[in-house]
Amino acid sequence: MGNCCSDEMGAGRHSVGPAASSADAASAVADRFLRSRGAGASTQIELSLSASNLGDQEYFFKSNPIVVVYSSNDGALEEIGRTEVIVNSSSPSWNAKIILQYQFEVLQPLVFHIYDIDPQFHEVGEKMLKLEEQQFLGEAICNLSDVITKQNRLFTLKLGVSEHNLPNPSKFGELTVQAEESAGSKALMEMVFHCSDLEIKDLLSKSDPFLLISRMSENGTPVPICKTEVRKNDLNPKWKPVIMNLQQVGSKENPLMIECFNFSSNGKHDLVGKIVKSVAELENMYHSGNGENFFVPASNAHDCHSKEVLKSQVYVEKYLENSRHTFIDYISAGCQLNLMVAIDYTASNGNPRLPDSLHYIDPSGRPNAYQRVILEIGDILQYYDPAKRIPSWGYGARPIDGPVSHCFNLNGSTYQPEVEGIQGIMSAYISALRNVSLAGPTLFGPLLSTATAIASQSLTSNQQKYFILLIVTDGVVTDFQETIDAIIKASDFPLSIIVVGVGGADFKEMEFLDPNKGGRLESSTGRVASRDVIQFAPMKDVHGTGISIVQSLLAEVPGQFMTYMRTREIQAIS
């Protein structure tokens, strides 16, 4: 999908096996730098539309239909596109494609309005038509996820008339929506870059370089599309393969800006140098074996176009074009994403009966912090889990007449942790508040081991499932090493872990869970994770990108998913 490098949508994020280095964590900080420059995780989708039995068939009515497609944001409609007008048809198939961007981490409500265009307006261009002058034939509403998750990405909707004063909606037919990824999103270009004689930027050590690759827009503004990992203390670095798709690049002739930065943990990375080359020119560099000198803007402030050419060079060591399965291919082929939830019941949350408690249930229905996180994650993931049977646990509390438990079933069952859907989680969460005593300490190890066991069972039964464990916590874990050991074990299974901190605690010690901030995770036996599987952030963190912290963490999942599938050579098979 959107970002690139060694895994799809997870630019440069994965490290495989014992060869992984401490640079992997540094690389993730550079990923945040990439996102701060506006690079998103999305892929272009083309919607094809057809309808059947439009109008009132009792009167043999045939219309001249057009579809207008809108995105819906809190009820406000924004037009995405229109089809052409099909003359004299009650079951039309439109040729025009509706183009939009699919983003896994957000809900994307779509609204379809169908109109019958009066013959007197048939010479008017579709975009110029005044819809209020046309006859309304019906509407359909769905989320883009509804379409993406269906086999063959084909979804049929009953046309309704919810906001129009029309008679029986059963007489107004059906609309079929089919989604396809644009061809450019599957046409991949894989390149390996290396550099020579980079300048030393650090006073006490060699540079820690990474590459940021951007597409140059028509007005000359760079649009970031991907990055490499960070190479620690290396003036002649060679990076893991970079993977870009044609959709991101635009065409092989479009210029790309390749910038080399010296990594800084505070996110203020120093520019080492840059080049501007098209993909076609990079391919030629590979075939010729020639390098290209980096340059930097000249220090002369009176000439913004002058540049200083450096002795440092960049080379293309590998160039390969191919096509691969995408995240959407796996989902539409039937692979499910299954949510698991774990909630903190330690005493530091405060007395649930008091309004200052993080667990306080507001009589007005306003959700508390725990409920907000679960709802935001659940609203996205529920579309990817047809059964909606969600394992849900609590930790850090003492059930009635029992010892403190660090992994107990929210529903009160001794053996079965699953509840029905998001509302099932909410009901079990509130019920558990009435039936346990808040205690402590905060331990993640038992939760992670339980979730990993469920993920491993799906492998033995050859199920097409991938799991996302959401842990919501108000404090810092105390079983650091056991947690690290469990994370590293989990990296071998179809599992991603999202940890969200709620409340006002100082979560700095939890940064070891976040590859954007922490160092290398190493087990008690010296093993490192086979891939990146865990993300952490406090809800109070603020992103300038217009998406929430929860969405930002959820955006990492498709890349982690694709890394798992590709490193294990699992194919998307319907």
Side-chain angles (χ1 to χ4, degrees):
M1 294 181 64
N3 293 344
C4 60
C5 290
S6 50
D7 55 15
E8 190 170 335
M9 288 185 70
R13 301 298 303 255
H14 92 255
S15 54
V16 179
S21 74
S22 58
D24 297 321
S27 172
V29 183
D31 282 337
R32 179 169 290 177
F33 178 60
L34 170 68
R35 290 195 296 272
S36 74
R37 291 199 164 196
S42 64
T43 190
Q44 185 170 287
I45 294 293
E46 298 177 352
L47 299 183
S48 299
L49 304 173
S50 61
S52 59
N53 300 320
L54 294 179
D56 193 336
Q57 301 302 302
E58 292 180 9
Y59 297 95
F60 304 101
F61 172 75
K62 287 190 176 181
S63 57
N64 307 302
I66 186 175
V67 185
V68 184
V69 184
Y70 303 89
S71 63
S72 177
N73 185 10
D74 293 328
L77 299 184
E78 180 178 348
E79 185 173 327
I80 298 173
R82 303 182 180 189
T83 66
E84 77 277 18
V85 177
I86 302 292
V87 177
N88 196 31
S89 177
S90 60
S91 296
S93 291
W94 291 275
N95 291 321
K97 309 295 184 185
I98 305 298
I99 309 299
L100 68 162
Q101 294 295 120
Y102 164 71
Q103 292 181 277
F104 168 77
E105 69 274 16
V106 296
L107 277 181
Q108 295 179 270
L110 300 176
V111 178
F112 304 86
H113 286 176
I114 302 183
Y115 293 87
D116 176 20
I117 305 304
D118 191 291
Q120 66 176 305
F121 297 108
H122 283 185
E123 299 302 318
V124 178
E126 286 83 3
K127 293 183 179 180
M128 301 300 295
L129 288 169
K130 294 181 179 180
L131 300 176
E132 65 273 13
E133 297 177 349
Q134 316 304 323
Q135 182 181 356
F136 183 75
L137 295 180
E139 75 173 3
I141 300 172
C142 71
N143 289 301
L144 184 54
S145 303
D146 286 314
V147 185
I148 295 298
T149 55
K150 296 297 183 294
Q151 189 169 16
N152 299 321
R153 295 183 286 272
L154 196 69
F155 191 46
T156 298
L157 301 157
K158 291 284 187 182
L159 288 169
V161 290
S162 60
E163 295 184 5
H164 295 76
N165 186 22
L166 293 177
N168 187 356
S170 66
K171 296 182 179 180
F172 290 87
E174 295 179 331
L175 177 71
T176 297
V177 184
Q178 184 166 25
E180 291 293 337
E181 286 183 88
S182 66
S185 67
K186 295 190 176 188
L188 303 182
M189 294 154 290
E190 180 178 337
M191 286 177 272
V192 173
F193 292 96
H194 78 265
C195 292
S196 64
D197 300 318
L198 294 181
E199 292 188 0
I200 297 177
K201 292 290 184 178
D202 293 331
L203 293 178
L204 301 178
S205 65
K206 296 179 181 179
S207 295
D208 304 328
F210 69 91
L211 299 180
L212 176 67
I213 302 174
S214 305
R215 171 177 54 84
M216 301 301 293
S217 63
E218 292 182 0
N219 63 8
T221 303
V223 180
I225 53 178
C226 72
K227 56 162 289 298
T228 67
E229 79 279 10
V230 175
R231 301 295 301 176
K232 300 290 284 186
N233 297 320
D234 196 343
L235 298 180
N236 298 283
K238 174 182 174 181
W239 290 278
K240 296 175 184 177
V242 168
I243 299 173
M244 296 177 285
N245 64 48
L246 196 59
Q247 173 196 317
Q248 294 170 306
V249 173
S251 78
K252 292 181 67 173
E253 284 66 44
N254 281 359
L256 299 178
M257 178 182 289
I258 302 175
E259 299 170 284
C260 183
F261 288 94
N262 178 42
F263 168 81
S264 176
S265 59
N266 64 12
K268 298 178 180 179
H269 313 300
D270 298 319
L271 177 66
V272 176
K274 58 185 175 181
I275 65 171
V276 177
K277 293 287 182 183
S278 68
V279 172
E281 290 172 324
L282 292 172
E283 183 180 7
N284 288 336
M285 285 175 60
Y286 163 69
H287 289 300
S288 69
N290 295 329
E292 180 75 14
N293 290 85
F294 279 123
F295 69 86
V296 293
S299 56
N300 183 357
H302 300 291
D303 185 359
C304 61
H305 297 291
S306 63
K307 59 186 180 182
E308 177 186 350
V309 178
L310 308 177
K311 69 174 183 178
S312 307
Q313 287 192 313
V314 60
Y315 296 83
V316 181
E317 189 170 302
K318 177 182 178 181
Y319 181 91
L320 181 66
E321 294 183 12
N322 56 28
S323 179
R324 293 185 181 178
H325 289 306
T326 65
F327 175 74
I328 290 179
D329 286 332
Y330 284 93
I331 296 303
S332 61
C335 190
Q336 300 175 16
L337 303 182
N338 298 142
L339 176 63
M340 300 187 282
V341 172
I343 299 174
D344 186 334
Y345 283 81
T346 56
S348 54
N349 284 280
N351 187 338
R353 297 179 180 84
L354 302 179
D356 61 352
S357 170
L358 290 170
H359 282 311
Y360 181 67
I361 305 301
D362 195 321
S364 70
R366 179 183 179 184
N368 62 33
Y370 285 93
Q371 292 170 313
R372 289 202 307 273
V373 173
I374 294 166
L375 286 170
E376 192 167 351
I377 290 279
D379 281 348
I380 302 297
L381 292 183
Q382 62 180 328
Y383 294 95
Y384 301 86
D385 181 4
K388 296 179 174 56
R389 297 281 297 168
I390 304 172
S392 303
W393 303 286
Y395 61 96
R398 181 179 291 106
I400 296 175
D401 299 327
V404 173
S405 174
H406 302 291
C407 186
F408 58 88
N409 297 336
L410 276 190
N411 59 11
S413 169
T414 304
Y415 305 106
Q416 180 53 261
E418 294 180 339
V419 299
E420 291 281 353
I422 305 305
Q423 288 308 311
I425 301 174
M426 292 301 179
S427 298
Y429 161 63
I430 295 172
S431 177
L433 284 174
R434 302 190 187 104
N435 292 292
V436 302
S437 299
L438 306 193
T442 302
L443 306 180
F444 281 5
L447 289 170
L448 296 173
S449 296
T450 302
T452 300
I454 292 176
S456 67
Q457 289 171 9
S458 72
L459 289 181
T460 58
S461 56
N462 201 29
Q463 295 175 329
Q464 285 280 313
K465 289 186 176 183
Y466 190 89
F467 296 85
I468 296 102
L469 171 62
L470 169 64
I471 302 177
V472 194
T473 182
D474 86 317
V476 177
V477 298
T478 57
D479 62 336
F480 285 94
Q481 192 58 58
E482 184 180 353
T483 296
I484 291 171
D485 289 349
I487 291 169
I488 291 170
K489 181 178 180 180
S491 70
D492 293 329
F493 295 95
L495 176 65
S496 288
I497 305 159
I498 295 175
V499 183
V500 180
V502 295
D506 181 0
F507 288 104
K508 190 165 183 62
E509 291 183 54
M510 292 286 280
E511 291 180 354
F512 81 99
L513 293 176
D514 185 355
N516 290 324
K517 297 177 181 178
R520 168 181 174 175
L521 292 183
E522 186 173 313
S523 75
S524 53
T525 60
R527 185 169 178 262
V528 297
S530 61
R531 61 191 177 96
D532 174 23
V533 294
I534 187 164
Q535 307 296 324
F536 166 78
M539 275 199 79
K540 61 187 177 183
D541 272 9
V542 177
H543 277 206
T545 56
I547 66 172
S548 72
I549 284 297
V550 171
Q551 290 171 342
S552 177
L553 296 176
L554 200 57
E556 308 292 338
V557 169
Q560 295 172 1
F561 172 95
M562 290 304 299
T563 301
Y564 178 82
M565 295 298 177
R566 286 176 177 167
T567 55
R568 285 151 185 81
E569 299 182 349
I570 299 173
Q571 301 298 311
I573 301 174
S574 301

